[in-house]
Amino acid sequence: RHQERHQAPASPPPPPPDTGDHMALLSNWAGANVELKDHKGGKGDRHNQWNTDGLPDAARRIVENDRDSASWRQKLQKMEEVLCGGDAGYADMDALGYSAIYLFWVGVGAVACAEDGSHYRPNHHAGSAERIYQHIEAVEAHATGSGGRHAEEVRALVRRLHPRLPAFTAEFTQSVPLTRVRDIAHGKGDRDGKCREVRAEIKHTIQNKLHRCAGPEDLVATEKMLAKLTAPGTDYPPEFVEEFRIFHRELKDFFNASTVTDRIEKLLREGDAPQSLRDAAKSFADAKARCDGIREPEGPALLAAVEEALARLSEARRAIDRELTEGGLRGANADQRQQWRLAEIGLEDYAFVLLSRGINALGAEADPPRSEMSAAEQRAALLFLAAAADAVAVSAGGGGGEFAGVAHEASELAVSGPGGMPPGGEEGALRSRAVAERARRAAEDAKNKAEAKAEQARLEAEHVAAEARRVAAERAREAEEARKAAEEEARAKEEARAKAAADASSAPPPPPTLAEREVAARRTAAAAAKKAKASPPGILKPTSEAAEGPAPVRAVTSAGVAVGTKVPAAPSASDAYASLMADDAGEVAEDVAPATIADGSLPLDVDDSLPFYLLDAHEDINSPGKVFLFGRVPVDASVANGETVSACAVVHNMQRCVFVVPRPEAFADPENEISDLEDAAALAARAADAAKDDEALAAAAKKAKGALLRCLQGRAAEVKGEVRDVLLARGIENFSMKPVKRSYCFERGDIPRGAQYVLKVKYPALAAPLPSDLRGAHFVCALGTQTGMLEHLMVKSRVMGPSWLALKGANRVASASQASWCKLEVNVAGAHKAVRAPRGDAPSRDPPLLTVAALNLKTVVNHRANVNEIASASVVYVRDVRADSATPTATLRDVNKVRHFSCVRRLDGVSMPPGWDQMVRNENDTNPAARRTKSVVLSSQTSERGLLSFLLARLQQLDADVIVGHNIAGFDLDVLLHRLQANKVPHWSRVGRLKRTRFPNLNGGGGGGGGGGEGGGG
């Protein structure tokens, strides 16, 4: 480019554009073609591919998050999880680096964004950006405090992230930002109505999309529309075009795509910065304007102007950095800090533009090169070199000492000769050559260091890739082993079935089961007692056993058990296991998977409600406005006590309910106006209830109630106005307010006891809760601000614990879209109104029978890593356990109900005993429990990861409602989660009901000193 400029000096180039266009401009848009089309909402299509094979953890999380996030808002929220998930000030270098690259790709369209089917204004994007900015700012400050190379690397990565975030200044965080486009679509600037068609196009292609699901593509669409409005031959009104230009600038401000000049001018015009900073920024703006005013492509005048602009640029950068880290901007609002930091980064980028112009002005790349310089030209060149070295020193931070020396030496040499010129003669030439050589060596050293860092990074990346390939190969080997084991297990099952069929055809009838023997014994005892009762007292009938003595007389209790007959006690766990292992246990059914419901159907009652037995409920902080209910649903609603399946009901659209207590004067009633209206409304309501078919009385009751409500609304006008302002200031647009009568009976002295009128405020739970200490000029306090949605649902729906519920308007969720691991999942959109107790005419149902599993882990301590590792896992599970009473003895003795399995893995560096694999096969072939249940009771794995995968697969197949164990909450569960996390086992959350991607906060069970020691978890 430089050669072309010097070959065509007759047409001087225009001043170079400012840099700072970091986001999606038409010039660097890399995504799909953005069309000006009507956006109907709904979900858009993406054509990305997501492959996480061999990726480091941070990159893998980003790819998985992108797969689950369609819109720009969702991607920003997921990046907030990646970047802000650690402690404040903690620098995850991988997360910072990969996030900067990812957000750049998103910004230029290389990673596509699409609508996600929801409606969120741009203030939600700004909120995520503000939280990310504050976190990475704290990360940079913490790293700077520690100093060293790490601080330089963190600073470089954070500076790459800042321009990728949207702005969160006041105009973008308000509840309805970017309203100018709405005014344009409604006719602002179009006095004569000539732009009706293009206004409608703006409304449907830009305004609706921007206010529903903003993304970088909207900036590209806006630029296309601006090009259309300003194309040659168009006659749109200038006022209309100017309004759209202003909107375009505002949108660039939101995407942080403004030029450095525009940003600084806006900060000087609107910001409240220290005077020293304003002076430095103003000096740069003036110097830049003088430089841009010179049209010559080279010469001393241009070189002097470039040198001055470059020097003022470095001063402005130092002033901004000083004020942000030590001065007045350190305590400023985050949005102001962000804009000044972006201005400083934009200045750094613009320094390269000035350096390019300075090189052109020198004629350094002229052909043939220049061999002589005048004293004035030499002075200008030295001053330019000093300014350039100083600019590099500012960017290098602590590593720019040599460049600072070059700047000092060059600036002194430029004015050290007679008349403020460089020294002449051979001495001057030698000194000039020496400082130039010093600058060249500094640049080459910096280049070599950068190349060395790049080479080191390349080697580290290759190492990571090799490790990833090794891990992938290991996983593939484990998968192949698991496949072979599954085939072996299937073959063993088939052989066992064939053998059982052959034995059944030739063997005598099987002995009675334990339950059948118990029933037969009771019947025999009852018959003997009845026979004894029919004989005269004291007279014994002769029997064939007379030689052995008379048979005792037996009486029968009301329970049907003969007195003198031993009543079986409730079996212990060892009894149940012994009966399971007994060779004479009789025929046992194969352990089949739990029942399922045909895809697409729901077992509804006659009132179209879904019967749902509640066992547990959960409120997830990452899913505001939702409550997860877990329990069981009948397979067939027409069968009173039939089979059931595990189910999850996701209750959507929950609303916060806040009671604002007004000051006493709001509803003061000295003239009994409210009391009279209450009496009239109550009297009319009783009359209407007494005559249910009288429409006139019903209308009168409605009218009386309306008169009371209008009076109360008028009394509460000031309170409502103040609360409305509070809600709007917090970005809450959708809300309702109504005076209601409630009673207060707690300890606060500023709230009257007993019944009183308060203002009931409801708004979506997606919005943040109001502060607990909220008060105002017209109200005393707000109650219920911190009430969780789970508590709210339980109270409003009057749920007293595990019980049958009726869910109205339930919609089945496809298996691939489920948020839980349950066999059935439904969405319930009606909040608490859709969760009710069954109607009086609903079928009477007993609590469903549950599956309970007892988990036992055996751990060993890895002394090198000082962590507990799992060596074996055993599960004993019981089906058909009652939830409301003791489980029958017959169930606990029934081998069709009580079963078990175990898994053992090889310890690292330790071989299994000789013949171990054959012993495992023999155990699964000859063990009575394995033979009768036709399932694997003992599995051998080569690694801890294989053991955990086997355990999760069996638990998911088992679909247990309850998992119990000795100290399971204090040790076993924590160890299990630690090891799932350490081994990166996919779908680790199968141990519970809810699908999760982030591990919960873990305790100390993963450490080698955790409770249980080497035998912990038993």
Side-chain angles (χ1 to χ4, degrees), residues 51-125:
N51 184 1
T52 60
D53 293 342
L55 291 182
D57 183 62
R60 177 188 56 78
R61 283 187 290 154
I62 291 175
V63 173
E64 291 176 348
N65 288 341
D66 184 82
R67 179 191 59 205
D68 300 334
S69 308
S71 66
W72 190 43
R73 174 190 63 84
Q74 290 178 326
K75 296 179 191 297
L76 286 172
Q77 290 177 342
K78 291 296 185 180
M79 293 313 302
E80 183 181 348
E81 295 179 6
V82 171
L83 290 168
C84 307
D87 298 333
Y90 169 71
D92 185 339
M93 301 298 288
D94 282 351
L96 290 173
Y98 289 123
S99 298
I101 297 171
Y102 170 73
L103 288 178
F104 172 76
W105 286 345
V106 172
V108 299
V111 172
C113 296
E115 294 203 52
D116 56 16
S118 59
H119 291 243
Y120 287 93
R121 298 189 185 276
N123 57 327
H124 294 275
H125 308 63

Side-chain angles (χ1 to χ4, degrees), residues 782-803:
L783 303 177
T785 58
Q786 304 298 311
T787 301
M789 292 303 98
L790 175 56
E791 177 184 351
H792 183 67
L793 177 64
M794 295 296 106
V795 172
K796 297 295 284 187
S797 298
R798 299 184 179 182
V799 178
M800 303 300 179
S803 58

